[in-house]
Amino acid sequence: MKIGIYGGTFNPPHLGHMAAAKTAAQVLGLDKLILIPAAEPPHKQLPEGSASPEQRLEMVRLMADNLNMPGVVQVSDVELRRQGKSYTSDTLTVIKAFYPEAELWLLMGTDMFLTLQNWHKPERIMELAGICAFGRTEQDGEELFAPQRKFLQEKYNARLTTITLPGLVDISSTQLREVLDDGQGEEYLCPAVYGYILMNGLYGTKADLKHLDLPELRACSYSMVRAKRIPHIRGTEEEAVRLAKRWDVDETLVRRAAILHDCTKYLELDEQLALCKKYGVELDELEQRAVKLLHSKTGACIAKHVFGEDEQVYQAIFWHTTGKVGMSMAEKVIYLADYIEPTRDFDGVEPLRKLAYEDIDKALLMGMEMTIEEMKQRGNPIHRNTQAARDWLCSHAN
Ligand code: DGI
Ligand code: FE
Ligand code: FE
């Protein structure tokens, strides 16, 4: 088994780290790639205004999830759990003990590679792991790389490889931190990581969460969900805008509702219940135990209280899972967009898509009847709002 180890301060993790991780995994043929944020880097003090170790760990987790390499990429908090400076030699020792048969590769950027002999216990590092250095281009630093390679090979008998990163994102975390407080730098970050930075006011970003532009609102939403849900949220936004154009509904309203509609989807039941309590949402008996029915309510609360969205956005999110009697056009659009957006794939989605642009009420009725049918098949209780919405549409869709 080949295992890559990619450590660093990740303050913050950016697209350059992502490209390096992806390329290294491919080029080296890694079975596993472990990302390890350092608690206290040995070679430098963390600058003032840095994110805390826990926040850096959280950002690395977001980046890892967004690398979309399940089963390969994982994040380790070994260095955060260890007291004192984060020495790579210690970390490699721990990993080697855990995977005694594995071939380890330590990944690092150019600067680190050129100073490897100055690290704590370099002989131990190179005994435990091969070194994989990233270059920007084929020629990049070759005049520096070549003598360094020769030196490390002769002195430490090191296993070395260099990989070039095509289209490397030319930014450092240092530069990024400098521009983030001016509202720049978004293009160098994975949206979910950028959203996390904004929501936590890191690096001097003091975004007014109540008046975010669309890209920032998207970033915040994506930072709250698993990466695999993002295509669905993007799809819902797209579909909602198309439906809004067709049915003459406010585009911005449905866009903002779609962006946020599933933002609390991954909260546990106890967290959902706590939010409902905090924001005074009353729940019936079924809702208190059916966690899937709660994210629409808590999502609406976050939209209103955290992001300052208006009542219509709140309502559209609130009713997106069950529907209700007397739905507004915006509520209908969000309900349907969620149902038929381009990444949805189930029996009957095509006729439903067609119908949504011909007769929105008939499409809604069809959607609700499909949901009811599915609930019955799965043995799930049908919520009274789902049933009432269906009956209401049945009485006036024809
Ligand atoms: O959040 P999404 O997956 O995009 O879609 P959604 O908000 O429509 O949620 C769908 C889930 O909600 C699905 O797992 C079934 C559940 N659900 C919808 N209506 C009812 C329901 N569950 C019960 N028990 N009763 C309902 O009436
Ligand atoms: Fe949902
Ligand atoms: Fe959804």
Side-chain angles (χ1 to χ4, degrees), residues 229 232 261-262 265 286 290 292-293 295-296 320-322 338 344 371 375 378 380-384 386:
R229 182 152 290 262
H232 162 67
H261 85 281
D262 276 342
K265 185 82 182 177
L286 176 56
K292 292 200 163 123
L293 293 173
H295 76 283
S296 44
H320 88 262
T321 302
T322 59
D338 186 33
R344 292 281 196 209
T371 296
M375 292 297 108
R378 282 201 237 157
N380 287 346
I382 292 146
H383 190 264
R384 60 188 164 83
T386 308

Side-chain angles (χ1 to χ4, degrees), residues 12 16 27 60 64 66 138 158 191 208 218 236 252 269 322 337-338:
V27 173
V60 172
N66 280 272
E138 297 281 354
D208 174 2
R218 287 187 194 104
T236 305
T252 310
L269 181 64
T322 59
D338 186 33

Side-chain angles (χ1 to χ4, degrees), residues 193-330:
V193 171
Y194 185 54
Y196 183 90
I197 290 172
L198 293 180
M199 290 191 69
N200 291 278
L202 302 182
Y203 309 115
T205 55
K206 287 283 168 277
D208 174 2
L209 294 180
K210 291 208 155 66
H211 298 94
L212 291 180
D213 291 338
L214 292 170
E216 282 77 27
L217 194 68
R218 287 187 194 104
C220 289
S221 169
Y222 303 165
S223 77
M224 290 186 269
V225 299
R226 301 286 307 278
K228 64 175 191 222
R229 182 152 290 262
I230 297 175
H232 162 67
I233 300 176
R234 288 188 190 279
T236 305
E237 182 186 347
E238 256 175 58
E239 195 74 51
V241 169
R242 262 196 300 273
L243 284 167
K245 287 196 167 106
R246 169 66 182 87
W247 299 110
D248 200 20
V249 179
D250 187 302
E251 244 179 81
T252 310
L253 188 177
V254 300
R255 222 186 242 292
R256 299 185 77 91
I259 290 170
L260 293 171
H261 85 281
D262 276 342
C263 71
T264 54
K265 185 82 182 177
Y266 294 99
L267 298 185
E268 301 293 336
L269 181 64
D270 57 338
E271 298 170 296
Q272 301 278 6
L273 293 173
L275 279 177
C276 288
K277 194 161 175 212
K278 174 172 177 183
Y279 294 116
V281 177
E282 286 181 17
L283 301 174
D284 63 26
E285 187 270 326
L286 176 56
E287 286 161 346
Q288 289 183 33
R289 59 190 168 85
V291 67
K292 292 200 163 123
L293 293 173
L294 293 181
H295 76 283
S296 44
K297 298 168 195 298
T298 52
C301 293
I302 297 296
K304 180 170 169 176
H305 297 285
V306 175
F307 298 108
E309 299 299 332
D310 68 20
E311 189 60 23
Q312 290 172 285
V313 170
Y314 174 86
Q315 294 291 341
I317 299 175
F318 197 96
W319 298 108
H320 88 262
T321 302
T322 59
K324 65 160 184 171
V325 173
M327 290 167 85
S328 72
M329 280 306 282

